[in-house]
């Protein structure tokens, strides 16, 4: 067996929080707080209007800037939408795709997740693809089936070469913003299911290298126990990422 090192990714998803000046003030403080953080990648997903300023503010640091969604077309009459090339030109390197709030509130489906994923890859953006079951699905013992079909749908028509930069985030819907974190064991089990499916579709090399993040009520107090699991390669942090000190504490989970 070949041992692989997956560099942890700690990503903050701000959702619909922070104006442009608030973004700049946060990142000026945050980049100093994390300047000596090594051995991990740091990503901040800011709202669209603040992306270019966010990218300017972190220039020269290791912080990567992500968008929270994108449209799959390159351009056209799609009022209110934003393309992959627009995000790249604003200084984004990463983009979150298929967050459960997009799926639940904005009608996103596995098919549109797949289209967005292909568009992001074509423009050189690194996708962070979110999957996860609802509480009803977990209680009905459907978690495995839901995760497998979300992965199959998101990754349709991908080849192992094109898939290599993708990050997956397992975010059980019942743990998002609820204060109810999945136990490290529950998360580990879901990650194993996801990686197993990625192995079946895209082969062992891709599966061994893809980073699978856990998301759902991650905080400074629980990051260490989550990261102690070999299958957990990082975290996608919502509420606790809104405060630079708390996000920096999550990034420094090893110290
Ligand atoms: P939370 O959100 O950390 O506030 O639970 C996570 C997410 O939605 O990505």
């Amino acid at each position: 067996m070949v041992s692989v090192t997956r560099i942890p990714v700690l990503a903050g998803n701000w959702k619909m929080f922070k104006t442009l000046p608030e973004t700049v003030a946060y990142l000026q403080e945050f980049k100093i707080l994390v300047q000596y953080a090594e051995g991990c990648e740091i990503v901040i997903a800011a709202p669209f209007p603040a992306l270019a300023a966010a990218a300017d503010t972190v220039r020269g640091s290791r912080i990567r800037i992500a968008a929270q969604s994108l449209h799959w077309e390159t351009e056209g009459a799609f009022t209110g939408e934003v393309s992959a090339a627009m995000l790249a030109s604003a200084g984004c390197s990463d983009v979150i795709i298929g967050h459960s709030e997009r799926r639940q509130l904005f009608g996103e489906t596995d098919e549109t997740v797949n289209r967005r994923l292909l568009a992001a890859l074509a423009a050189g953006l690194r996708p962070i693809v979110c999957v996860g079951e609802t509480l009803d699905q977990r209680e009905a013992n459907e978690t495995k089936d839901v995760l497998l079909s979300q992965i199959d749908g998101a990754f349709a028509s991908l080849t192992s070469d094109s898939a290599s930069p993708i990050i997956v985030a397992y975010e059980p819907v019942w743990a998002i913003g609820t204060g109810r974190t999945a136990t490290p064991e529950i998360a580990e089990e879901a990650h194993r299911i996801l990686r197993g499916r990625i192995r079946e579709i895209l082969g062992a090399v891709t599966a061994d290298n893809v980073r699978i993040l856990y998301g759902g009520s991650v905080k400074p107090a629980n990051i260490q126990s989550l990261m102690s699991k070999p299958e957990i390669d990082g975290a996608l942090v919502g509420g606790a990422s809104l405060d630079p000190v708390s996000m920096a504490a999550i990034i420094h989970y090893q110290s």
Side-chain angles (χ1 to χ4, degrees):
M1 226 183 91
V2 189
S3 89
V4 281
T5 311
R6 295 187 290 265
I7 297 168
V9 177
L10 297 158
N13 171 18
W14 287 356
K15 311 190 179 188
M16 200 174 75
F17 290 96
K18 298 197 189 295
T19 62
L20 195 151
E22 287 167 350
T23 298
V24 172
Y26 175 112
L27 290 171
Q28 279 168 343
E29 180 180 352
F30 181 64
K31 73 179 177 187
I32 293 166
L33 292 171
V34 299
Q35 63 185 325
Y36 300 118
E38 279 173 7
C40 67
E41 291 180 15
I42 304 168
V43 183
I44 294 290
F48 288 140
L51 287 173
D56 272 352
T57 311
V58 302
R59 187 158 297 129
S61 79
R62 293 172 42 246
I63 303 166
R64 300 169 67 106
I65 299 299
Q68 299 172 15
S69 188
L70 80 167
H71 195 267
W72 53 86
E73 294 291 347
T74 51
E75 60 186 4
F78 303 104
T79 301
E81 294 295 332
V82 172
S83 74
M86 291 172 188
L87 296 176
S89 74
C92 280
S93 54
D94 296 29
V95 59
I96 297 174
I97 297 176
H99 189 276
S100 62
E101 285 149 19
R102 304 281 330 155
R103 294 177 190 257
Q104 291 193 315
L105 304 173
F106 302 101
E108 199 148 318
T109 62
D110 289 336
E111 196 206 328
T112 60
V113 168
N114 176 248
R115 286 176 161 205
R116 290 177 218 270
L117 179 71
L118 296 175
L121 290 170
L125 293 174
R126 182 170 74 174
I128 303 175
V129 183
C130 302
V131 296
E133 79 287 359
T134 63
L135 186 57
D136 285 353
Q137 289 165 335
R138 173 158 286 272
E139 286 176 345
N141 273 327
E142 292 167 5
T143 299
K144 185 170 180 186
D145 290 344
V146 169
L147 295 181
L148 296 183
S149 73
Q150 287 178 338
I151 286 291
D152 290 352
F155 284 13
S157 82
L158 270 191
T159 59
S160 49
D161 289 348
S162 57
S164 59
I166 296 175
I167 293 173
V168 172
Y170 168 60
E171 299 211 308
V173 178
W174 47 271
I176 294 179
T178 57
R180 196 178 154 189
T181 323
T183 61
E185 291 69 31
I186 289 179
E188 167 106 319
E189 170 62 17
H191 286 215
R192 205 169 275 130
I193 291 168
L194 294 167
R195 201 179 302 282
R197 187 56 140 213
I198 295 168
R199 183 167 289 116
E200 284 168 16
I201 314 176
L202 296 167
V205 174
T206 303
D208 287 343
N209 285 296
V210 70
R211 266 82 58 89
I212 306 182
L213 318 184
Y214 167 77
S217 298
V218 174
K219 301 178 200 66
N222 58 25
I223 182 72
Q224 213 167 359
S225 60
L226 289 160
M227 292 304 290
S228 72
K229 295 290 178 193
E231 280 293 324
I232 302 182
D233 307 317
L236 183 55
V237 185
S241 75
L242 293 172
D243 170 36
V245 173
S246 128
M247 187 62 191
I250 289 171
I251 286 160
H252 291 115
Y253 69 93
Q254 280 168 314
S255 44

